[in-house]
Amino acid sequence: CHCCLLGVSLFSDVFLTGTEQCVDAPVFTPPSLVVKFGASATANCSVCEKDCLGTDFGLEHATGTKEINGTSIVWKVNSLTEWVTSLLCYYNRKDGRQCSKTLGITLYSKSPFCRTNTLLLEGESYLLECLVENIAPLKHLIVTFYKGPEALAQMYFNSSLEPKPVTTTSILHITASKEDDGAQYWCDARLNLDVQQVPLTVSSQKLYATVYCEYFVITVTEGEQLELNCSAVGKPTPSYVWMHSASANIFSNTSVYSIKSVTFGNEGQYKCTASNIMGTVTVNFRNNIGYIIGLVIAAIVLIIIVGLVIYIYCKRK
């Protein structure tokens, strides 16, 4: 699974030099900022209601531009690409002390990407991967794997790394069963930030799994209709190739192969191959027409032989 997520966040509370709290504190709108890498962003700082009138105030920023209108400062950036950045809004009081507030900015990239085989064989083991690109701070990341609405596993990251973007891959081992046919596998990456009341979560696309048994044996009677189904679910849509053990010819390019009236010539092994750019899966079918007919003939011959023996024995008596 490929999960790509999140950038950097820096946060601090309103503070005033000294021990006294700042009553008329700067206020950011929005109170926190989450921006996609390379996207534009804007924020407004209301420096104060009245306490800063006639004093020095401003906005410290590493990137972007600012526009001052009274005691309101609007910050804008056309393309945010600085992973570690924040805004400091402040004013200096007449007694020489300063009121300020920092706006934390979380920068993220792309959406999560979930990756695994979509065509599975029953009983085989596979890797479900969740790739998270450009995530920071890593210690706040939680990756969750899902099968449909069911959470399969959660993975946490204990990291002392600096708040700079990193790329990480989470791996979950799964074993395919017939109950998994049609299941949706996916993952999400969640960044638990103290400033966010609701965790920032980005989900990957959903992968539809198709599970095949490795070998099917089908028994039919001569003259009956035979229908072999090899339907697969995948994206892009799979293409099909049917082969017969007694012939090198391609019989059909559809998911279902039908014979209106089977004969002894139709006996043997049929192979269906479903494929797309993500992979290929082959399913084998065994058609046992001749075996049944042979057993029936053998039984009739045995009855005739037993009958002749009894007849000859009784006639001699």
Side-chain angles (χ1 to χ4, degrees), residues 73-187:
I73 305 175
V74 177
W75 171 79
K76 294 181 179 179
V77 62
N78 293 327
S79 177
L80 186 58
T81 57
E82 297 291 334
W83 286 102
V84 181
T85 188
S86 61
L87 304 179
L88 177 67
C89 188
Y90 70 92
Y91 69 90
N92 298 318
R93 290 176 38 156
K94 294 179 180 180
D95 58 10
R97 290 179 291 181
Q98 185 182 80
C99 270
S100 66
K101 187 170 186 178
T102 300
L103 175 68
I105 300 176
T106 298
L107 189 63
Y108 71 95
S109 75
K110 299 185 181 180
S111 297
F113 180 78
C114 190
R115 178 172 55 210
T116 189
N117 296 38
T118 54
L119 301 177
L120 312 177
L121 288 177
E122 184 179 14
E124 295 292 327
S125 296
Y126 298 91
L127 297 180
L128 192 60
E129 298 180 357
C130 193
L131 176 62
V132 186
E133 292 181 343
N134 297 328
I135 168 68
L138 186 61
K139 64 181 180 179
H140 292 293
L141 175 66
I142 301 175
V143 172
T144 306
F145 290 93
Y146 297 88
K147 184 176 73 172
E150 177 189 0
L152 298 177
Q154 278 191 335
M155 298 185 179
Y156 300 83
F157 300 83
N158 295 321
S159 175
S160 59
L161 296 176
E162 294 296 323
K164 294 183 180 180
V166 297
T167 296
T168 181
T169 301
S170 300
I171 296 177
L172 180 67
H173 292 265
I174 59 174
T175 301
S177 66
K178 61 182 180 181
E179 289 77 15
D180 297 331
D181 187 50
Q184 297 177 349
Y185 287 100
W186 56 288
C187 69

Side-chain angles (χ1 to χ4, degrees), residues 197-218:
Q197 293 183 351
V198 179
L200 178 61
T201 303
V202 184
S203 300
S204 72
Q205 83 284 12
K206 292 180 172 61
L207 302 176
Y208 291 82
T210 299
V211 181
Y212 289 114
C213 294
E214 189 173 2
Y215 196 81
F216 294 92
V217 177
I218 300 175

Side-chain angles (χ1 to χ4, degrees), residues 246-264:
S247 173
N249 296 325
I250 298 176
F251 287 86
S252 176
N253 59 358
T254 62
S255 61
V256 178
Y257 177 63
S258 298
I259 302 174
K260 291 183 178 181
S261 179
V262 297
T263 65
F264 286 104

